[in-house]
Amino acid sequence: MFNCSVGLNEGFYQRTRVSAFVNWRTSSPTSQSNQARAREPMNTTIIDIARHAGVSKSTVSRVISGKGYTSPEVREKVLHAAEELQYKPNALARAMVSQRTFNIGIIIYRKHYPIVSHPIYGKIVDAILAAAESLNYSVFVSTDKEMSQRTADYMLEKRVDGLVLISRLSQEMIGYIDGFGIPYVMVNGTVENNSVIQIVNDDRKGGAIAADHLYALGHRKIGVIAGPQDHRSHHLRYEGFMRRLRELGCTAEERHVAFSSQSTFDEGAACFHRMWERSHSALPTAIFATNDMLALGSMRVMQERGLRIPQDISVIGSDNIDFASYSNPPLTTVHTEKDRMGRDAVHMLNRLIQKLELHPQRVGYEPKLVVRGTTGPSPSAG
């Protein structure tokens, strides 16, 4: 039996609990019928459990709902009876009793594809699904390129207990979702609202860490490939890198800075190609890219142009995606907490759903330098 599956339906990814049945072949219609009946799930009720355990129906109800006092001995007896009878509570009945559906929704707000297969957002979603499953939640996943109200409406129709909102989000959309009266947390995005739990990486510090690393290797002629500046992470990493360079007494020449409209491998390649066309006779000795995909794309063009990495030019990215350790040479990068963001989002949302104490706050994770094979001493320092 499988606990979850993902199906595509008009742009929406829906995770639901399903069962996989085996189609047994038999030589006899009678035996086939008997086997089918044998495989039918038992319609066990709390009355059956009460009889089996020798307790009252109300006692069974208290044990199953977790409300009210029951002695440890009686509780154990009821749970044992439920297990023996293969009791599985009806989802609708459970929702009516608890006023919860045990469904949560994920909305990913992102302009460009890929989305669910994106090496960052995919990791976050995987971590959310795993954490949700451990807490017995089913998850609906929806993507929204336009930040429209219809996606939030879709989740409301599914009667979700709470929402995980990923990436950019406008104040107007936050206000609309607030009107639902359901709890939510934000991941990898921020708003000017202290009542909202916002789970982010310290991207500004990540940019500064990259600048420190290149400076320590003797690089003073440094370039930047920066992703879309309307995206929080790319903007803060670029800002943190440039600020730290200024503090170190360095700067990046305008001809050595390239901005991309998307954060893809192809855009990274295109950005370095433009840099090469502008100043191939006076290239920087090191490049910082605001994500790993841009860095890896730029490396392809460097190698096509005969540049040796890191002997002729060093490259450092950000995110520490899976591809980073498999490039040639392996990419030096700044690690961000993708899995942890997803896990913590679910556990914090679960506390909000249960109305447990949780002070709204901005949760920031420390980035970490991961040194591999694409950074080395500046050739001009030798």
Side-chain angles (χ1 to χ4, degrees):
M1 179 175 289
F2 301 102
N3 280 335
C4 65
S5 70
V6 179
L8 179 62
N9 181 18
E10 297 180 356
F12 294 112
Y13 296 83
Q14 177 181 344
R15 176 182 179 269
T16 56
R17 298 175 188 274
V18 299
S19 298
F21 295 97
V22 179
N23 183 20
W24 295 96
R25 296 189 177 209
T26 62
S27 57
S28 164
T30 303
S31 62
Q32 186 176 17
S33 175
N34 290 339
Q35 288 183 11
R37 280 195 297 271
R39 289 196 303 274
E40 290 177 358
M42 297 175 64
N43 242 342
T44 305
T45 68
I46 61 173
I47 297 175
D48 298 322
I49 297 172
R51 288 175 182 157
H52 195 78
V55 298
S56 68
K57 184 175 72 173
S58 59
T59 298
V60 175
S61 180
R62 285 198 302 274
V63 171
I64 291 173
S65 67
K67 297 178 180 179
Y69 174 76
T70 311
S71 71
E73 295 80 7
V74 172
R75 182 176 181 277
E76 182 62 32
K77 185 187 295 185
V78 170
L79 293 177
H80 182 68
E83 185 179 356
E84 283 191 337
L85 295 175
Q86 298 180 330
Y87 172 72
K88 298 190 184 304
N90 178 275
L92 179 60
R94 183 175 61 179
M96 291 174 63
V97 171
S98 66
Q99 299 299 304
R100 292 172 59 186
T101 62
F102 288 88
N103 294 329
I104 61 176
I106 305 171
I107 304 178
I108 307 171
Y109 294 93
R110 180 170 163 78
K111 286 183 180 179
H112 306 290
Y113 292 108
I115 300 176
V116 174
S117 63
H118 190 280
I120 299 302
Y121 298 112
K123 280 282 188 182
I124 294 172
V125 170
D126 281 348
I128 290 172
L129 294 178
E133 185 176 17
S134 72
L135 295 172
N136 293 317
Y137 283 106
S138 292
V139 178
F140 294 96
V141 181
S142 175
T143 63
D144 192 332
K145 297 174 67 177
E146 306 300 330
M147 211 177 297
S148 62
Q149 294 180 353
R150 73 183 184 91
T151 310
D153 290 340
Y154 170 82
M155 290 300 179
L156 182 60
E157 290 171 4
K158 297 301 178 185
R159 297 180 64 239
V160 295
D161 294 330
L163 288 171
V164 179
L165 310 175
I166 300 177
S167 197
R168 64 192 181 95
L169 210 63
S170 68
Q171 193 63 53
E172 179 184 1
M173 183 57 66
I174 286 292
Y176 183 72
I177 292 173
D178 275 334
F180 290 171
I182 62 174
Y184 63 90
V185 298
M186 288 186 66
V187 176
N188 204 38
T190 56
V191 289
E192 296 302 320
N193 187 337
N194 293 330
S195 66
V196 178
I197 292 184
Q198 302 164 53
I199 302 170
V200 296
N201 284 291
D202 190 342
D203 288 305
R204 188 180 283 112
K205 184 173 182 178
I209 287 172
D212 282 333
H213 177 62
L214 295 179
Y215 187 86
L217 290 170
H219 296 281
R220 302 294 182 268
K221 198 173 176 182
I222 301 172
V224 183
I225 297 177
Q229 292 301 288
D230 62 347
H231 187 287
R232 175 193 171 278
S233 295
H234 289 286
H235 174 70
L236 292 179
R237 290 168 188 175
Y238 173 72
E239 183 182 83
F241 183 82
M242 299 298 279
R243 178 186 298 178
R244 185 57 182 153
L245 281 188
R246 290 192 296 271
E247 292 172 353
L248 294 168
C250 295
T251 186
E253 296 181 36
E254 185 176 343
R255 61 179 175 166
H256 294 156
V257 178
F259 293 97
S260 64
S261 59
Q262 298 183 45
S263 54
T264 62
F265 297 110
D266 288 343
E267 280 290 316
C271 282
F272 188 77
H273 178 75
R274 292 199 301 271
M275 199 179 295
W276 173 272
E277 292 295 311
R278 286 197 299 257
S279 58
H280 66 269
S281 60
L283 287 170
T285 63
I287 294 285
F288 167 60
T290 55
N291 82 355
D292 290 341
M293 290 185 289
L294 293 171
L296 293 168
S298 72
M299 284 171 56
R300 187 191 70 189
V301 179
M302 293 173 192
Q303 291 169 331
E304 288 173 351
R305 299 293 187 272
L307 294 173
R308 298 170 302 160
I309 305 169
Q311 293 88 343
D312 299 324
I313 187 167
S314 289
V315 183
I316 182 171
S318 188
D319 281 328
N320 195 24
I321 64 175
D322 290 343
F323 298 121
S325 61
Y326 291 98
S327 62
N328 184 23
L331 180 65
T332 295
T333 185
V334 178
H335 176 79
T336 56
E337 296 285 357
K338 301 167 284 296
D339 292 338
R340 189 176 171 192
M341 290 171 76
R343 288 195 307 269
D344 287 355
V346 173
H347 288 289
M348 290 181 184
L349 181 61
N350 184 52
R351 289 186 65 85
L352 292 177
I353 291 170
Q354 296 186 69
K355 296 181 172 56
L356 300 175
E357 185 177 359
L358 184 64
H359 299 291
Q361 57 186 309
R362 183 175 297 184
V363 181
Y365 302 116
E366 289 286 307
K368 299 172 185 175
L369 178 67
V370 180
V371 179
R372 295 194 180 105
T374 58
T375 53
S378 168
S380 59

